[in-house]
Amino acid sequence: MSGGPAELAAADRSVPAGELGQTLKIRHGAGYEHFVRDGESETVDGCEVAVFRWTYRTRIAE
């Protein structure tokens, strides 16, 4: 994933292949970080992976 808060854990930045066509909503702190796939990919440790870009943040309603 690209963008979003720097403190978002690396483990939260990996998603199953079945979610590649979806907008990702990852809980972080008191809200959610939203990421979308733009079709870009990159090579990491010899494997091609999809890149999701951060788009916006929403807060959890109280």
Side-chain angles (χ1 to χ4, degrees):
M1 288 186 207
S2 178
E7 63 274 359
L8 188 61
D12 292 331
R13 293 181 176 266
S14 296
V15 297
E19 296 182 21
L20 290 179
Q22 302 177 24
T23 297
L24 302 178
K25 180 173 142 182
I26 299 174
R27 185 168 182 168
H28 178 69
Y32 292 95
E33 305 299 334
H34 298 261
F35 295 82
V36 295
R37 183 167 182 220
D38 62 4
E40 184 180 336
S41 62
E42 62 183 43
T43 302
V44 177
D45 295 330
C47 297
E48 190 169 325
V49 295
V51 175
F52 285 79
R53 301 255 179 237
W54 181 85
T55 53
Y56 62 98
R57 181 181 211 294
T58 55
R59 293 189 177 265
I60 296 173
E62 295 184 31

